[in-house]
Amino acid sequence: MTAAQVINITKVETSKLNDLSLENIPFGRYFSDHMLEADYENGEWKNVEIKPYQPLLFDPSLAAFHYGQAIFEGIKAYKSESGEAFIFRPYDNFRRFNVSAERMCMPTVPEEIFIEGMRQLIEIDKNWIPARKDHSLYIRPFMISTDTMLGVKPSETYKFMIILSPTGPYYATPMKINVEERFTRAAPGGVGFSKNAGNYGGSMKAAREANKQGYDQVLWTDAVEHKWLQEVGMMNVFFLVNGVALTPSLEEGTILQGVTRDSVITLLKEAGIPVEERRISIDELITAYKAGQLQEVFGTGTAATIAYIKELKYKDEVMTFDTDSWKTAPFLRKQLGEIRESAIPDTHNWMFKI
Ligand SMILES: *Cc1c(COP(=O)(O)O)cnc(C)c1O
């Protein structure tokens, strides 16, 4: 670590935990006692600090407010039965964060700040990891551009931060999904593979229209033909067809390279279930459904882990599933849960010990 990257630490006097129960806490509403902050100026990272969680003060001309150079990550920390703290695959998120940074013309963040800063922050706020089943501490690293001037060009200064939010079980009831054929999330050559803020602002209208029709989310399709399947909200998607797990491939750069997606592919292959990463059209799914071969449909992501999809609607075609009879998605949910809670051996080295 260079001298500039020594992490200065200022601790709170009294913890907010004295007044808060971590049981069944809703997602993303409460934040731990401390946060990490670092600034990028003159081509280098400086002022790396862990300090009490607090508001920021910014000039109204702040570049991030206007032109969207803003990226983030989502990671979870867990406590084992014996009380040890672990982060799930943080190096994968670290690499992906820097892929997003590169795409958005932002500086990359070094490991000494992203990983080591996260480790120290969680060490300090360890008591904020709920020690209950299906509970975790959600970690939100993010970076924004901080130049104060209105020219449309990459900023010269940036702020990187990490905040922590304890969370209870996520929305676990099976979802109803509408296959989107009007709005577009990502096109080849675009920014679909990066976790940048604008992708999410741009996707809200489609989700809201789906909500009005009684659907929880949309399954995005490609921008040109609206028939090649991409992903669901903040989740990658898997289809079990005749014993084979299908998931859209990453090649076109239009979907997020999910860490949960990668974990699920690994676990499926180990369980002897073939996995095909390739283009999948809605027509292929409908044909499989009519032949009685579309067995399971589920989403994968850090927040929800494995989310069952009980209904898929495309135009007038409604495909429904009896999730109670499923074997594969429940197996994956159980397996991932046990790895994260250190109930079974971590043979892939996915758990990073604090
Ligand atoms: C974050 C995200 C995912 C899931 O990625 P994980 O690493 O598994 O959490 C999938 N799709 C989108 C659009 C996302 O933003």
Side-chain angles (χ1 to χ4, degrees):
M1 239 193 274
T2 63
Q5 285 166 10
V6 165
I7 302 179
N8 289 307
I9 296 174
T10 316
K11 289 195 188 171
V12 295
E13 278 166 21
T14 48
S15 171
K16 292 182 283 190
L17 269 180
N18 298 333
D19 310 313
L20 186 70
S21 155
L22 296 183
E23 198 175 336
N24 288 321
I25 203 160
F27 178 77
R29 298 266 187 84
Y30 296 90
F31 299 94
S32 73
D33 288 323
H34 301 89
M35 63 186 195
L36 178 134
E37 200 173 332
D39 295 312
Y40 184 84
E41 274 170 36
N42 298 324
E44 61 176 4
W45 286 100
K46 51 179 75 159
N47 311 332
V48 191
E49 268 188 284
I50 290 174
K51 60 186 188 184
Y53 187 93
Q54 59 193 272
L56 305 167
L57 184 66
F58 284 128
D59 193 280
S61 70
L62 189 87
F65 292 153
H66 302 271
Y67 307 126
Q69 265 187 305
I71 61 172
F72 65 94
E73 269 303 329
I75 310 171
K76 277 181 173 177
Y78 300 85
K79 218 170 244 178
S80 71
E81 291 227 325
S82 59
E84 290 174 312
F86 294 90
I87 312 175
F88 186 72
R89 303 190 68 175
Y91 279 93
D92 295 83
N93 297 86
F94 165 59
R95 281 189 287 272
R96 187 171 70 189
F97 188 78
N98 283 337
V99 168
S100 299
E102 202 280 322
R103 178 63 182 84
M104 301 302 287
C105 291
M106 301 168 89
T108 55
V109 175
E111 183 177 336
E112 302 86 71
I113 299 178
F114 192 102
I115 298 283
E116 179 57 18
M118 183 188 305
R119 197 192 64 73
Q120 290 194 28
L121 179 63
I122 294 178
E123 175 85 59
I124 291 171
D125 279 346
K126 205 159 49 188
N127 290 343
W128 286 84
I129 310 176
R132 296 179 168 276
K133 200 171 162 40
D134 295 329
H135 288 57
S136 59
L137 184 66
Y138 184 79
I139 307 165
R140 169 54 61 89
F142 64 101
M143 173 163 46
I144 55 170
S145 54
T146 53
D147 278 8
T148 51
M149 70 123 204
L150 296 180
V152 185
K153 66 175 185 61
S155 187
E156 280 169 14
T157 60
Y158 295 86
K159 191 178 282 295
F160 172 71
M161 300 191 66
I162 304 177
I163 56 176
L164 307 174
S165 179
T167 173
Y170 200 74
Y171 188 63
T173 50
M175 299 191 301
K176 291 172 69 178
I177 302 291
N178 185 45
V179 181
E180 183 58 54
E181 37 167 340
R182 193 155 59 101
F183 297 110
T184 294
R185 176 183 177 276
V191 292
F193 64 88
S194 79
K195 230 169 161 80
N196 81 86
N199 277 345
Y200 304 87
S203 70
M204 287 175 190
K205 191 169 170 69
R208 199 171 62 179
E209 298 285 310
N211 294 159
K212 282 187 203 156
Q213 308 296 320
Y215 289 83
D216 298 296
Q217 259 297 349
V218 302
L219 170 52
W220 294 104
T221 54
D222 72 290
V224 180
E225 297 175 83
H226 282 302
K227 73 178 235 195
W228 301 102
L229 307 173
Q230 294 180 338
E231 57 184 325
V232 173
M234 308 234 351
M235 290 185 292
N236 295 113
V237 67
F238 285 79
F239 309 98
L240 190 70
V241 178
N242 218 7
V244 178
L246 309 180
T247 194
S249 54
L250 303 170
E251 274 153 34
E252 288 168 348
T254 50
I255 63 169
L256 237 284
Q257 184 162 2
V259 177
T260 320
R261 175 186 182 279
D262 185 75
S263 308
V264 160
I265 290 174
T266 303
L267 295 177
L268 284 168
K269 287 181 177 166
E270 281 176 8
I273 298 170
V275 180
E276 292 179 12
E277 296 177 66
R278 60 169 171 84
R279 300 229 297 172
I280 304 157
S281 73
I282 184 64
D283 305 326
E284 177 181 355
L285 282 195
I286 291 171
T287 305
Y289 180 78
K290 287 185 173 157
Q293 296 181 337
L294 182 52
Q295 297 157 308
E296 302 185 22
V297 183
F298 54 93
T300 66
T302 294
T305 312
I306 306 288
Y308 302 173
I309 296 173
K310 68 172 179 190
E311 182 177 324
L312 258 188
K313 179 176 177 293
Y314 175 70
K315 297 188 197 285
D316 294 333
E317 209 70 59
V318 178
M319 298 178 262
T320 56
F321 305 92
D322 172 19
T323 58
D324 289 338
S325 69
W326 288 4
K327 300 267 183 311
T328 304
F331 158 77
L332 292 166
R333 187 184 265 180
K334 182 161 180 286
Q335 192 87 352
L336 274 174
E338 288 178 351
I339 293 172
R340 293 179 314 191
E341 282 156 20
S342 312
I344 56 175
D346 170 27
T347 54
H348 313 91
N349 274 322
W350 284 343
M351 306 307 289
F352 175 85
K353 193 162 181 292
I354 299 289

